[in-house]
Amino acid sequence: PKMKEDHCLHAALLCLGVLCYSHALATEGLNHSRPSLHGHHEKGKEGQVLHRSKRGWVWNQFFVIEEYTGPDPVLVGRLHSDIDSGDGNIKYILSGEGAGIIFVIDDKSGNIHATKTLDREERAQYTLTAQAVDRNTNRPLEPPSEFIVKVQDINDNPPEFLHENYHANVPERSNVGTSVIQVTASDADDPTYGNSAKLVYSILEGQPYFSVEAQTGIIRTALPNMDREAKEEYHVVIQAKDMGGHMGGLSGTTKVTITLTDVNDNPPKFPQSVYQMSVSEAAVPGEEVGRVKAKDPDIGENGLVAYSIIDGDGMDMFEITTDYETQEGVVKLKKTLDYETKKSYSLKVEAANVHIDPKFISNGPFKDTVTVKIAVEDADEPPVFLKPSYIFEVQENAASGTVVGKVHAKDPDAANSAIRYSIDRHTDLERYFVISAEDGNIKTIKALDREEMAWHNISVFAVEVHKQHQEAKVPVAIKVVDVNDNAPKFAAAYEAFVCENARSNQQFITISADDKDDSANGPRFIFSLPPEIIHNPNFTLRDNRDNTASVLVRREGFSRQKQDLYLLPIVISDGGVPPLSSTNTLSIRVCGCDGSGSLLSCNAEAYVLNAGLSTGALIAILACIVILLVIVVLFVTLKRQKKEPLIVFEEEDVRENIITYDDEGGGEEDTEAFDIATLQNPDGINGFVPRKDIKPEYQYLPRPGLRPAPNSVDVDDFINTRIQEADNDPTAPPYDSIQIYGYEGRGSVAGSLSSLESATTDSDLDYDYLQNWGPRFKKLADLYGSKDTFDDDS
C-alpha cells in the first residue's frame, strides 16, 4: 500500500507540471524517482547504530523557461509532505541559491515561484534546499532535501562570427573547389537542447564565383580559370543560421574579401612591331638613344622582363639594358658614330620573362621580339687635326722667318668648310713663333737659344671660317736643335798654389772644363798652352784626354820675395763643328811649405820683416815697451793717492738734517697708511746711493735684485735692503757710520706699546715683565709696576 501511495503522489505532481508548463516540459525532464529506502547505517555515540529515516516525499529537479515575461510570477513547482494533513501546522522553508531573491515559496502550500526573469546563458541551474518544520515550534519534521531548478533554453541568441571581416587570398586560375578560407560562427544557446544552437552556413553574395560548405563554413572556388587580370578582388557575404537553417531561426552574417593572387600566365608583348629612334653622331658612348617596353599584365616577379639584342647590324654599335623600375629596355650608344660613314642601323630586340611558372608553360613562349631602327643624325662637328699632336725641330739661332713645320686640320662635316689656324698666345708669351692662318705653316719670328730654352710647347687652334664656334686644339712641341755657339770654359774659378821648394815635373792642380752646348758639340775637351808660351820655363800642361788637364812645375825653386803670383793662360777647345775655343787664365800663388809639402804660408810681407830685424831684436823691443807701461801706471797711482784725503768734510752733513713727516698712521703694524716714499732718498730711487762723507773713487753700482720697488709699502723689506747696501758698499770709510731710520717694525723685541689693543680695564694688565727688560725700561717699569700698590692704598 505504501508503494502505491508514492506512485499516486508522483502522478499528481506530474499532472500539475504538465498543466502549468505543457509547452516546456519534456518527458525526460520529469525524472521523479521512487522513495528510496537507504540501508546505510550510521554509528552514533556509545556504539549506537542510527538508522536514516525514510523521506515521505522525494523529487529530483524542476524546470523553468528562460526569458519569461508574463505578468505573474512563474510557478516552478510545489512541495508537499506526507505528514501534511492540511491543517496549516506545517511550514515549508526554502534555502539555497537564489532563495528569497529569485525563488520564493508559499510556506503553507509549498508552491515555489520565480520572481525574476531568468537567462540560461547567464546561469543554467540553481541548487535549492527544502525542509518541512512545525509552524509553532520550528522543529524540523523531516530532514532537508536538495533539488535542482534548471533554466530551460529558448532560441534567444543569434549566431555570431568570430570576426566581422575576413581577408583571404587564392591564386588565379585555381581549380574548382579550391579551399579559400573557413569562417566560424558561435551560438550562445544550449547546444544540447533542441536546434537553437544548430548552425547552417550559406552564401548570400559572391556567387557564382565561390561557394560555402553548409556545415563547416569552408569557402571554396566555384568557377574555373578565374583571371586576376580581369578581376582581382571579390566581396563575399556568408550567413550562419540556427535552428538547422529552418524558418524561424536566427542568423548572423560576415564579409569576406577574397583577392586573387598573380601567377605568370601572361607572356610579355610589345605594343608595336617597329620602334624608330635617332641619335646624333656627336653623341658620346654610354648616351641613351631610346627606350622600348613590352607589356606584361602580370605583377611582381611574374611581370619582370629582361631585354637583349639578338640580331641586327648595330649589335656592335649599340647595347640595351633593363630598367627594372619602369620595366623598360634602354638602348644606349656603345661606340662613336660617324654620319659620313653610316647613316642608319637596325636592331632586333627580345623581351622575355625572368621567372616562368612550369604550370603555364603551355601558354608560352613567354617572350616577344621587336625591330628597332636607329637613324644617325649629322652633327656640326669641329675641325679635326690629322694628328693628335705634332713634334717639330728647328736649329737655334735660326733666322727670323724660318719654317718650323706645318699642321693640318679638316672639317669632318659634308660641307667641308675652310679652316683658319692660330696660335694660343698663352702658350707662346714671348712670341717666338707665328702661324699662317691659311695653310698652317709655323715660322720663327725671333732667334732661339737652346741654352735658354730647349723645348717650346705651344697650342694651335683650328677654326671653321663660317662657324667661329667650331674649333679644335692640338699641342705642338718644338725642339730647339743645338748649334756649337758656346766655347768651353773652366768648370770652376780655379786658384792654384805651388810650394817654393816644388820639384820639377810635380803636378799641383787638375782642371776641367764646362760647355753650355749639347754633348754632341763637345764630346771631348782639348787643353793646351797658347803658342807664344808653349815653352814656358815655369809651368807646363798635360792633357789627360778625359776632359781634364794637369798643370805641372817645369823648374825647381820659387821665391815669394821675387814673385809670389803667376798667371798661366790655358786654351780649351771643344769637339763641335766648327770647333770653338777660349783662353782661360789660371792664377798660381807661390807659398811656403814644410818638408812634407804641407802649406804653411802664402804671405809675402813676412819675409820683408825678416830682412831688416832679427828675432832677438824684436823681443828686446817688446820688453822695453812693457817696462815703460808699468812705470807709467805706478806713477799715476802714487800721484792719485797723495792728493785724495780719507774724509771729505763738506759744509753740510746729510745725517744732521732733521726731516719731519706729519703723518699719523694706523699703528705700528699699519704699513698701508704710511707713505714709504717719504723715507726714500731721492738720489737712490734709481738704484745708486752716493755717500756724502767721502769722495768715492768710482761709481758704485748696487747688485741687481736687492733694490725693492720704489713705492713698496713693506717698510721692513725697505730697511733690510738699505742695510745690505751699506754693508756691501765698497766705498764706505774704514770707521763706523751711523744710519738712523725712525721705524720700529715687526722685529722689535719689545713688541707693540700701543694702547689701542690693550684691555678695557687697567686691572687686566700685568706689567711685571717690564722689570726684566733692563735699565732702559726701568722708569717705565716703575710707572706701571707700582700700580698695584697705588690701588691697594686707595
Side-chain angles (χ1 to χ4, degrees), residues 289-304:
V289 178
R291 295 188 174 219
V292 298
K293 184 175 184 179
K295 295 183 178 180
D296 190 335
D298 296 323
I299 60 175
E301 66 175 14
N302 297 319
L304 294 179

Side-chain angles (χ1 to χ4, degrees), residues 113-128:
H113 291 82
T115 61
K116 293 183 179 180
T117 301
L118 302 179
D119 186 359
R120 189 200 68 83
E121 286 71 40
E122 182 179 347
R123 186 160 187 173
Q125 66 181 21
Y126 298 86
T127 302
L128 300 172

Side-chain angles (χ1 to χ4, degrees), residues 594-622:
D594 56 12
S596 62
S598 299
L599 187 67
L600 293 178
S601 174
C602 295
N603 189 1
E605 287 75 7
Y607 285 88
V608 176
L609 181 61
N610 290 336
L613 294 175
S614 63
T615 304
L618 289 175
I619 295 175
I621 294 172
L622 292 176

